[in-house]
Amino acid sequence: MHKHSQSCEKVFITTPIYYVNDKAHIGHAYTTIIADTIARYSRLIGHNVFFLTGTDEHGQKIEQSAKDKGVDTFQYADEISKKFKDLWDDFDVSYDYFIRTTDDKHKLGVQKAFLTMYENGDIYKDFYEGNYCISCESFFTSLQLLDGSACPDCGKDTKTIKEESYFFKLSKYEDKLLAWYDENEDCILPRAKKNEVYNFVKEGLKDLSITRTSFNWGVNLPDSMGDSKHVIYVWLDALCNYITALGYGGDEKDMSFWPCNVHFVGKDILRFHAIYWPAFLMSLGLPLPKHIAAHGWWTKDGAKMSKSKGNVVDPIDVANAYGLDNFRYFMLREVPFGQDGDFSQQALIDRINSDLGNDLGNLLNRIIGISGKYFDYNIDSCDVVKYYGKEIEESFAMIENIEDYIFNMQLHVYLERLWKPLSLGNKVIDSYKPWELMKQGKIEEVVALSALVANIIARVIILLSPIMPKITAGMADVLGMKIDNDSYNSIIKNKELLSPFKIKKAEVFFPRIEEKILIDEEIKEEANTDNLIGIEDFFKSEIKLGTIKEVEQIEKSSKLYKVFVDVGESKLRQIVAGIRKYYTKEELINTQVCVVSNLKPAKLMGLVSEGMLLAVKDKKNLSLLRVEKEIKNGSKIS
Ligand code: ME8
């Protein structure tokens, strides 16, 4: 499955493996596109690249999602994993291997890692009691929780878990981790993020619970440990993908690609990669990754993308509407690596019309026009140095050492710098005015001028090819060249000029876009029929009318009230509701509300809640659902 080219340095690049509980959105596409760009760049300059991506399929969250949908867990994981793979194939992502944590090969590797850490004295058995967020598959201390029970990362309620568990001696690695951060300036990029990690570790690390007994959907402990009720914690399982994909625990020939050059991750999962993962590797006696690069978060209109808000941007829609390469360019150019970005169609359109259309596309068109009009499309570099020596030198200087920006992840600066020779090209045509030179009979100068610009474009498109592979290949075709390691070596490294060639006339690469192509995502969401349910599904919820009889404030919570509701039963129902910010007690007592009355009782802030009040909410306000005539308590909504 690997397509290694012959070359010198081995380079290993990874994306996170994505959870199979949802379909991909532009955030996932962003990570993959960055990693693909670096992989393509590394191949272009002649490295032997192994680019890994895949899916993370175990854990309670996936088991739960499958259960909610009423399907078999593996079948569910299988379907979504395939969707991710199909998406990356449609996007022509140049991965060398797609790993799934449900692969047998991976599971064996995880078991070997577990056993090795155990044999090295880093794993012991004890009891775990703590607050677990299923959504983030992560534990939190009581101090970290919001309002006493909610997850500080995603805001969902955590569960209190007490169970027998194996622990990894993370605390033992505190000093070693700090030393690693100290000695390797760029091990975590951007550096601001490294400081956050550093300070976190300095506060002290607790040992990490790395097995569960409360569910089955995961990798079992190695048989030799004879403890079959435990499954391995999903993050240990998932992180190991970076070595099991190289054959760890089986045929280890690709382990020659280890250590990894860059693990690309979103900032949400930096802690797992920059603390747990290096500690696991130290325990395994393996070298540590060279870089862990954490990028920022994409939002839509300033809000987190989520299905319930209906503002999820589908990368396929964007690529179909605006072109895949244009989308790639936009994502990398628009937002500095490490910072958050907001997706807007207008910003994308502006980049396409201005940077790509006006600067790049237009320069190519001007050369096609000039060479076509005067020289039957022939380009010859023989007199470039004679007439435009200064300009060609300047264009070389503009991109000297530009590669540094690739490898320290300043991709937006890389692109900004790459546009400088294009401005120079446009400026040279404006100031030397070839049409006037022709009138003066200075034909050689015009030949040299068009060759100067053709050489500038050739250089730029080679260096742009990792970001926009398809379009640059089309442009290279116009210039009678190919983009590969050979042309990189001759044109970029050795600064050779193009041999004489005839321009091939081309399509328009960047047609101007006048208005937004995609309809508003929210409208689309309404038209989406995926989430239609049958009436029988609706009637699974029993909604009754009731009168609020008492309201109490809950200490330590600014959001919650404890309310007692008469829903026509012998006893009042106690319900904990997050409505305190929107209603005073007086506005609630003796009013009728709608109650979901067949919910399993839940515990919120240590209090049992026996139902849920129905309400609607937008960014500013919340309103309870009320009836407009008085109806007997306990009547069902139908
Ligand atoms: O965390 N903006 O998987 P995941 C930018 N399985 N990037 C985003 C994003 C957004 N709005 N949303 C998601 C997991 N991402 C684990 C990883 S690795 C051993 C295990 C990207 O499906 C970003 O890269 O939740 C983030 O880190 C990743 O998707 C999380 O994907």
Side-chain angles (χ1 to χ4, degrees):
M1 203 165 164
H2 311 156
K3 320 163 234 173
H4 302 317
S5 58
Q6 251 205 346
S7 67
C8 42
E9 196 176 318
K10 288 192 168 179
V11 169
F12 183 36
I13 292 167
T14 70
T15 72
I17 46 171
Y18 301 107
Y19 282 132
V20 289
N21 65 332
D22 218 341
K23 64 179 204 177
H25 58 61
I26 56 164
H28 305 105
Y30 180 56
T31 320
T32 300
I33 288 169
I34 295 176
D36 183 58
T37 295
I38 304 299
R40 285 175 186 270
Y41 188 89
S42 304
R43 286 191 201 100
L44 179 70
I45 65 174
H47 293 333
N48 183 2
V49 175
F50 193 119
F51 171 22
L52 174 69
T53 190
T55 43
D56 187 355
E57 305 181 24
H58 289 133
Q60 205 166 355
K61 176 158 64 171
I62 312 291
E63 195 180 66
Q64 191 72 49
S65 301
K67 238 187 222 154
D68 292 348
K69 293 232 152 66
V71 291
D72 170 69
T73 315
F74 180 73
Q75 190 195 335
Y76 174 75
D78 207 35
E79 261 171 38
I80 302 198
S81 174
K82 187 169 178 318
K83 282 193 186 153
F84 270 95
K85 191 161 181 294
D86 288 348
L87 171 65
W88 305 144
D89 289 340
D90 284 350
F91 272 21
D92 208 15
V93 171
S94 65
Y95 63 84
D96 294 286
Y97 192 70
F98 187 97
I99 191 162
R100 301 184 52 183
T101 54
T102 46
D103 292 340
D104 286 340
K105 187 179 117 168
H106 168 77
K107 291 194 230 170
L108 288 173
V110 174
Q111 289 176 330
K112 177 178 167 188
F114 193 95
L115 203 58
T116 310
M117 297 198 289
Y118 184 74
E119 285 167 358
N120 290 344
D122 283 340
I123 291 179
Y124 62 94
K125 195 155 143 180
D126 203 342
F127 276 91
Y128 185 84
E129 190 168 2
N131 313 292
Y132 194 65
C133 172
I134 297 177
S135 184
C136 299
E137 299 279 16
S138 198
F139 280 104
F140 298 96
T141 62
S142 305
L143 283 178
Q144 289 173 300
L145 299 181
L146 302 177
D147 271 350
S149 71
C151 167
D153 283 352
C154 72
K156 291 186 188 146
D157 249 358
T158 56
K159 260 188 165 176
T160 311
I161 292 181
K162 175 162 184 177
E163 58 184 46
E164 186 186 83
S165 172
Y166 286 84
F167 285 80
F168 174 74
K169 288 188 186 163
L170 188 62
S171 55
K172 172 178 153 186
Y173 289 95
E174 212 174 283
D175 291 340
K176 286 184 184 148
L177 285 167
L178 291 172
W180 180 57
Y181 306 142
D182 278 333
E183 285 156 23
N184 297 277
E185 207 172 17
D186 286 337
C187 59
I188 299 166
L189 290 167
R191 286 190 195 156
K193 290 269 190 312
K194 181 177 156 182
N195 297 338
E196 284 170 28
V197 172
Y198 194 94
N199 293 335
F200 186 90
V201 174
K202 240 180 153 189
E203 295 278 294
L205 293 174
K206 282 215 174 95
D207 289 351
L208 184 69
S209 162
I210 49 164
T211 64
R212 298 283 176 276
T213 54
S214 49
F215 64 97
N216 296 322
W217 184 240
V219 179
N220 295 319
L221 292 204
D223 285 346
S224 62
M225 294 190 65
D227 211 348
S228 59
K229 66 175 189 291
H230 288 262
V231 293
I232 295 174
Y233 173 41
V234 62
W235 268 103
L236 171 56
D237 165 359
L239 287 162
C240 283
N241 93 86
Y242 299 132
I243 50 177
T244 60
L246 300 177
Y248 180 83
D251 173 3
E252 299 203 343
K253 74 174 185 343
D254 282 333
M255 278 301 283
S256 59
F257 278 92
W258 190 260
C260 178
N261 293 66
V262 203
H263 290 306
F264 283 103
V265 296
K267 64 178 184 180
D268 57 323
I269 56 173
L270 180 60
R271 185 159 43 104
F272 299 95
H273 284 79
I275 302 174
Y276 299 175
W277 180 227
F280 295 155
L281 288 166
M282 287 183 202
S283 175
L284 294 174
L286 288 171
L288 305 192
K290 293 180 192 155
H291 306 289
I292 298 158
H295 64 68
W297 212 241
W298 281 91
T299 51
K300 172 80 197 342
D301 304 323
K304 196 174 169 184
M305 279 181 280
S306 80
K307 245 191 187 168
S308 47
K309 286 203 199 99
N311 64 350
V312 176
V313 186
D314 185 334
I316 299 219
D317 289 346
V318 182
N320 286 345
Y322 294 100
L324 174 60
D325 278 10
N326 299 343
F327 174 46
R328 287 172 66 108
Y329 172 81
F330 166 75
M331 291 207 110
L332 301 190
R333 177 66 186 83
E334 187 73 4
V335 178
F337 187 93
Q339 292 184 19
D340 294 342
D342 196 47
F343 181 83
S344 113
Q345 288 191 67
Q346 195 53 52
L348 170 57
I349 293 169
D350 292 345
R351 288 277 172 207
I352 295 173
N353 287 344
S354 153
D355 302 8
L356 297 174
N358 289 352
D359 300 341
L360 174 60
N362 186 37
L363 188 61
L364 183 68
N365 283 340
R366 291 176 93 177
I367 279 315
I368 298 174
I370 295 166
S371 68
K373 185 163 180 196
Y374 303 124
F375 314 117
D376 193 24
Y377 299 104
N378 285 301
I379 299 276
D380 193 331
S381 307
C382 62
D383 285 332
V384 171
V385 177
K386 180 170 162 194
Y387 291 106
Y388 300 102
K390 194 172 123 281
E391 285 83 356
I392 194 87
E393 279 308 320
E394 209 179 321
S395 77
F396 291 146
M398 283 169 166
I399 53 171
E400 195 77 48
N401 299 328
I402 193 172
E403 184 166 303
D404 295 349
Y405 296 109
I406 287 269
F407 291 117
N408 59 24
M409 305 305 149
Q410 290 186 281
L411 289 162
H412 70 293
V413 185
Y414 176 83
L415 287 168
E416 200 181 88
R417 287 284 297 270
L418 199 50
W419 250 244
K420 293 206 179 317
L422 296 177
S423 311
L424 176 73
N426 276 311
K427 206 177 87 197
V428 166
I429 298 179
D430 293 343
S431 47
Y432 288 101
K433 302 185 177 59
W435 49 94
E436 286 186 2
L437 292 176
M438 282 309 280
K439 275 191 214 144
Q440 296 157 18
K442 296 179 175 165
I443 297 172
E444 268 182 16
E445 282 179 43
V446 180
V447 171
L449 184 82
S450 39
L452 165 74
V453 175
N455 276 286
I456 287 177
I457 298 174
R459 218 158 255 126
V460 168
I461 61 174
I462 290 173
L463 292 173
L464 183 60
S465 66
I467 293 115
M468 305 184 67
K470 280 225 174 69
I471 288 191
T472 51
M475 291 184 156
D477 197 44
V478 174
L479 298 184
M481 59 182 273
K482 275 211 161 52
I483 299 177
D484 53 21
N485 180 237
D486 289 339
S487 56
Y488 172 81
N489 282 334
S490 61
I491 296 177
I492 303 293
K493 258 177 117 178
N494 300 335
K495 299 181 178 167
E496 284 168 25
L497 297 183
L498 296 168
S499 321
F501 69 94
K502 192 162 178 149
I503 282 191
K504 270 198 223 155
K505 275 208 282 179
E507 61 193 286
V508 178
F509 287 102
F510 306 105
R512 204 176 162 74
I513 300 172
E514 299 298 346
E515 58 187 28
K516 291 185 195 169
I517 301 175
L518 290 173
I519 49 168
D520 208 324
E521 280 71 28
E522 267 154 276
I523 302 169
K524 264 181 60 181
E525 191 68 17
E526 278 172 19
N528 186 350
T529 52
D530 276 1
N531 55 5
L532 294 183
I533 58 165
I535 189 81
E536 67 288 356
D537 292 320
F538 176 76
F539 280 118
K540 280 184 192 156
S541 344
E542 187 183 78
I543 303 172
K544 286 185 181 170
L545 208 63
T547 298
I548 297 182
K549 292 293 187 188
E550 284 171 45
V551 179
E552 286 177 19
Q553 288 184 0
I554 296 176
E555 232 187 287
K556 282 194 284 183
S557 170
S558 56
K559 294 184 195 148
L560 301 175
Y561 274 136
K562 183 160 70 170
V563 295
F564 293 89
V565 191
D566 173 3
V567 286
E569 297 164 343
S570 57
K571 231 174 106 239
L572 299 181
R573 292 257 189 152
Q574 169 175 306
I575 294 176
V576 179
I579 53 174
R580 184 163 154 193
K581 277 199 201 146
Y582 309 95
Y583 288 92
T584 62
K585 284 187 190 178
E586 292 68 34
E587 287 170 321
L588 294 170
I589 289 184
N590 287 329
T591 63
Q592 284 196 303
V593 284
C594 302
V595 177
V596 184
S597 54
N598 63 340
L599 273 185
K600 280 189 205 144
K603 252 192 171 174
L604 287 164
M605 309 254 337
L607 297 167
V608 178
S609 182
E610 305 163 310
M612 184 174 92
L613 302 189
L614 289 187
V616 283
K617 193 176 171 188
D618 63 15
K619 276 182 195 153
K620 284 193 227 122
N621 222 334
L622 174 144
S623 167
L624 287 164
L625 294 187
R626 311 275 206 184
V627 286
E628 56 176 17
K629 297 177 189 162
E630 192 171 334
I631 301 276
K632 194 165 166 267
N633 284 338
S635 308
K636 281 189 202 164
I637 284 177
S638 57

